[in-house]
Amino acid sequence: MSLSRLFHAFLLILFTGITSLVYLDSDESLQVKSQQRLATYQAAFDNTTFSATNGKNLFAELNKHASFQFFQYIHKDDSSNNLTQGTLFPEKQTALARLFPVDLADTRDISNGRLQVKLYTGDLIEHTTNRFIQTLLVLWLSYLSIALFYLLVMVRFKTSINYAASYIESLSSQSYDALASSKLSFELHPLAKALEKCKLALKYRSDESAKENDKLQRVAFQDAITGFETRIKFTQKLESFATLGKEQIGLLAMIKASELGQINENHGRSAGDDYLAKIANCIRKSITKYPNSQCYRISTADFAVFIPDLILKDGIPFLESLKSLFDEYQQTLKTDSIAHVGLVPYRHDCEPMNLLTLSDTAVSIAQTLGPNCFHMQDKLNGDEVYGDTRWKLAIEDLIRRRAIKFYQQPIQPCRTEVKVYKELFSRFYNSEGKFLPTATVIAMAERHGMILELDKLIVLNTLKVLMDTPALEGAYGINISSSSIMQESFVAWLKDQLIKRRHIAARLVFEVNEAGMQSNLAASYKFVQVMHSVGARVAVEHFGMGFTSFKFFREVRPDFIKLDGSYTESIEKDTNNMFFIKMIVDISRRLGIRVIATSVERQEEKLTLEKMLIDGLQGYYIAQPQAIQVLETK
């Protein structure tokens, strides 16, 4: 029940109660006066000597002292002396008069007969009812006045409450209009103060939230490493081409950071982040002459730059400047390359998918031209996979020319009784002698079904360099694709090659990615057994990145396990990685498997791993890769 109804109910009950009290008081007063009248009559009757012997005379004498509503005298002997006047019950009595019933009856025996009377009370009842009516009028007029006043107060109060509710609703809609304090005066003044305080607090929080939202927007759409905008913004830019004016043209440069995978693997992710940041700085420097350019990092190792209002030939200075900066950075980083650039034109009506295909083709062609090279592509000439086709030709060419060079990086044993090996890294170069990105070469070879031929090239060249270079002593590890060891024809070919050169086979360790071996344990086990049968050994690289299980140890039984570099980074602080490595070392030790830690870059990592009884250590802190001169095939 609302407060207004509750008050009205209380007020009605209160005045009804007062009315009842007034009625009871009036009735009591009437009864007192009536009893006084009766007592006066009785006293007068008792103190008076009546001489009348009949009813008529007796009535005349008594009427001097009282008025009668009913009079009846009955003589004992003579009925002619009897007299009856009036009625026992009053006639035409009002409804209000009935609320005050009074009966002043008196019956007594006198000398000659019996007298029964009812005194007249109409005047008393009339006076009482009139007084009662007057009191009720005052009382209920007071009730109506109070109710009306309360109604007016409540109307004003409800108006103020509705204003406050409306104001609160506006606050929830982030509308901060000035508060009309005059509408919330008197008792509602604390509410006005609270709303004003709430408004100020909400406005402050709203402003702070807007600032935080701006920060989040910048974080969401700005790459933390490079400071460039993200792929979301790049996609929006592509979609905006449909709304460009007909005169809008420009260039799109696609830049691929070719060495990110190698740097992450050999130096850690922090070095990879630094590498990406340096590439971003090179891009910024090269576009200083193009103030309207927009830069994006669109994937892990890919960048995009939009340069408006230029045609293709106008982009040559930008490309040459960027290549020069990449070449300079390469001298410091000492990698095969830094990045490759593809430059393509765009127009207002170009299809985003076609533009991306064209730019991807340009980058793919640039990667086949050598370190930090660029390529400008105007159109696809009707061949949608022109870039891939170029790669296929490039891989066929390097396989035909045996265009491969090796770098070696030693693995340091942690105990004198442990025999480990040196790892050979394959590097491929084009017809001009410029190195191609190794990861891209292998990926393209797998895409075009040429990985078997590429792995054969690596094996044959390794056998040749070990036979032709007596100075290279000890065991050497070479990487081959996991997809190749799943092919029975390749395993049979490799076994045949090693049988012919058993003295070299005993010096070889074939490194295969764990994820690939996990996909087919039976084929992996067979490969390991075949290699053991000819004296070679097998190492599982990037161990711990796939679904590692005890079944893998029991069924495959490799000779070496090379932990993924992510386990080495800050190992002295990472208790989870410590536990994993200790478990792997314990299991491997029981099975006669050697465990090698990779990507060792700091002394703290080296010392911690040695205390954990690791068998071998590999990384830039131990030794950097060194080139091996391979005799050219005539």
Side-chain angles (χ1 to χ4, degrees), residues 19-20 22-31 90 93-103 124-126 128-130 132-133 136:
T19 300
S20 299
V22 170
Y23 165 73
L24 292 175
D25 180 68
S26 298
D27 184 64
E28 183 180 0
S29 176
L30 175 63
Q31 296 299 328
Q93 193 175 27
T94 64
L96 191 60
R98 293 191 185 99
L99 294 174
F100 300 97
V102 179
D103 188 13
L124 295 178
I125 292 175
E126 183 180 2
T128 300
T129 55
N130 289 338
F132 182 65
I133 289 173
L136 287 185

Side-chain angles (χ1 to χ4, degrees), residues 6-282:
L6 185 64
F7 179 78
H8 278 294
F10 168 76
L11 200 64
L12 183 62
I13 292 172
L14 176 63
F15 276 83
T16 301
I18 294 174
T19 300
S20 299
L21 292 176
V22 170
Y23 165 73
L24 292 175
D25 180 68
S26 298
D27 184 64
E28 183 180 0
S29 176
L30 175 63
Q31 296 299 328
V32 170
K33 291 179 180 180
S34 298
Q35 292 302 320
Q36 289 176 352
R37 176 168 289 188
L38 180 61
T40 300
Y41 162 75
Q42 290 175 344
F45 192 92
D46 293 337
N47 295 325
T48 302
T49 302
F50 298 98
S51 59
T53 58
N54 57 51
K56 186 175 181 181
N57 293 331
L58 182 61
F59 176 77
E61 290 183 16
L62 289 176
N63 200 30
K64 298 177 182 178
H65 301 282
S67 298
F68 298 99
Q69 174 186 321
F70 176 75
F71 181 92
Q72 187 179 58
Y73 174 74
I74 300 175
H75 197 274
K76 290 181 179 179
D77 301 319
D78 188 2
S79 61
S80 61
N81 292 324
N82 293 348
L83 178 66
T84 300
Q85 294 283 347
T87 61
L88 283 173
F89 303 101
E91 297 178 356
K92 299 181 180 178
Q93 193 175 27
T94 64
L96 191 60
R98 293 191 185 99
L99 294 174
F100 300 97
V102 179
D103 188 13
L104 299 180
D106 183 76
T107 302
R108 63 180 65 202
D109 294 329
I110 56 177
S111 58
N112 297 318
R114 180 177 179 83
L115 178 63
Q116 180 179 1
V117 300
K118 273 192 176 182
L119 298 180
Y120 177 72
T121 58
D123 58 333
L124 295 178
I125 292 175
E126 183 180 2
H127 175 74
T128 300
T129 55
N130 289 338
R131 185 164 172 263
F132 182 65
I133 289 173
Q134 291 175 358
T135 304
L136 287 185
L137 285 174
V138 173
L139 185 65
W140 285 99
L141 283 175
S142 300
Y143 165 78
L144 291 176
S145 299
I146 294 173
L148 181 61
F149 176 75
Y150 180 78
L151 179 63
L152 294 176
V153 171
M154 288 304 298
V155 168
R156 185 179 182 280
F157 185 75
K158 287 181 179 180
T159 301
S160 299
I161 292 295
N162 289 335
Y163 171 74
S166 176
Y167 191 79
I168 293 172
E169 185 176 355
S170 69
L171 289 180
S172 66
S173 303
Q174 297 184 343
S175 175
Y176 304 108
D177 297 332
L179 179 69
S181 301
S182 60
K183 295 183 179 180
L184 299 172
S185 56
F186 303 108
E187 289 79 3
L188 295 179
H189 183 64
L191 178 60
K193 292 177 64 177
L195 286 176
E196 183 68 25
K197 185 177 180 180
C198 180
K199 180 193 76 171
L200 295 176
L202 285 176
K203 189 175 187 307
Y204 173 77
R205 292 181 182 177
S206 177
D207 292 342
E208 290 297 311
S209 297
K211 293 178 182 178
E212 290 297 324
N213 187 55
D214 289 339
K215 291 180 182 178
L216 290 174
Q217 288 286 333
R218 287 194 293 270
V219 171
F221 300 123
Q222 185 177 28
D223 180 58
I225 297 173
T226 64
F228 289 169
E229 292 185 287
T230 60
R231 184 179 183 87
I232 296 175
K233 288 292 186 180
F234 175 73
T235 303
Q236 292 175 355
K237 176 67 176 180
L238 290 177
E239 292 173 349
S240 70
F241 284 162
T243 61
L244 292 176
K246 291 185 177 180
E247 70 282 358
Q248 293 293 320
I249 61 171
L251 300 176
L252 168 61
M254 196 72 70
I255 300 131
K256 183 176 289 292
S258 314
E259 300 300 313
L260 180 60
Q262 291 294 328
I263 292 174
N264 283 339
E265 180 178 346
N266 297 327
H267 300 279
R269 295 192 180 277
S270 59
D273 292 344
D274 183 63
Y275 161 70
L276 293 173
K278 292 290 180 57
I279 289 179
N281 288 336
C282 292

Side-chain angles (χ1 to χ4, degrees), residues 451-453 455 480-488 490-491:
I451 191 63
L452 290 179
E453 296 301 319
D455 280 340
I480 59 175
S481 170
S482 57
S483 60
S484 295
I485 72 167
M486 303 298 166
Q487 304 295 324
E488 292 184 4
F490 175 81
V491 176

Side-chain angles (χ1 to χ4, degrees), residues 117 301 369 446 457 481 536 569 620:
V117 300
L369 301 178
E446 289 182 342
L457 173 64
S481 170
E569 185 176 3
Y620 269 55

Side-chain angles (χ1 to χ4, degrees), residues 10 30 32 56 77 157 171 239 299 355 366 395 434 440 442 448 463 469 490 494 545 564 589:
F10 168 76
L30 175 63
V32 170
K56 186 175 181 181
D77 301 319
F157 185 75
L171 289 180
E239 292 173 349
S299 67
L355 182 62
I395 295 173
K434 297 178 180 180
T440 306
I442 294 173
H448 293 290
L463 293 173
T469 313
F490 175 81
L494 181 58
M545 294 302 290
D564 185 79
R589 189 66 56 82

